[in-house]
Each structure stands twice: as C-alpha cells, then as structure tokens.
C-alpha cells in the first residue's frame, strides 16, 4: 500500500494506476478491507505464486 500526498491510495508503487481508495473519503482500515483492495491483493498473490511455480519447474 502506498499513499500519494493528495490522499490517493494505490495498491503497489509499481502500478500507480491501480488506485484503491482515497484517505479524504475513507480510513486506512476501510480501504485495506475493501473489495477493491482485497481483489488486487489476491491477484498479486496469485501472480507471485505462479511465478514461483514456473521458476521451480524450469530449474531456476
């Protein structure tokens, strides 16, 4: 989770286009537990799991 000075919250600084909330409107708790942020975390976890699986199967 990263924050911009304007209050915008993004899920990952590598992908700043994935805004998940705004601290002017919601609390950190509400943003973290929102459906939008939960889906982003699940997606990133799935990508990470898949990448590890690919590395193992290729002998890396």
């Amino acid at each position: 989770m990263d924050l911009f000075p304007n209050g915008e919250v993004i899920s990952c600084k590598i992908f700043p286009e994935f805004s998940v909330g705004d601290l002017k409107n919601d609390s950190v708790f509400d943003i973290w537990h929102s459906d939008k942020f939960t889906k982003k975390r699940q997606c990133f976890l799935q990508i990470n799991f898949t990448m590890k699986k690919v590395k193992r199967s290729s002998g890396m």
Side-chain angles (χ1 to χ4, degrees), residues 54-60:
V54 167
K55 283 182 180 180
R56 273 189 242 132
S57 67
S58 66
M60 295 178 89

Side-chain angles (χ1 to χ4, degrees), residues 3-58:
L3 311 171
F4 284 116
N6 67 357
E8 182 181 10
V9 180
I10 57 172
S11 56
C12 176
K13 67 176 90 180
I14 297 171
F15 302 106
E17 62 274 12
F18 294 145
S19 177
V20 292
D22 192 325
L23 290 176
K24 291 181 279 184
N25 302 318
D26 297 301
S27 69
V28 171
F29 181 89
D30 290 339
I31 293 170
W32 182 263
H33 293 283
S34 69
D35 288 340
K36 192 173 187 179
F37 201 8
T38 299
K39 288 177 185 176
K40 296 278 190 277
R41 284 194 308 273
Q42 289 172 344
C43 181
F44 287 132
L45 287 171
Q46 183 61 40
I47 290 169
N48 189 33
F49 175 77
T50 302
M51 294 301 290
K52 286 180 181 180
K53 199 172 171 183
V54 167
K55 283 182 180 180
R56 273 189 242 132
S57 67
S58 66

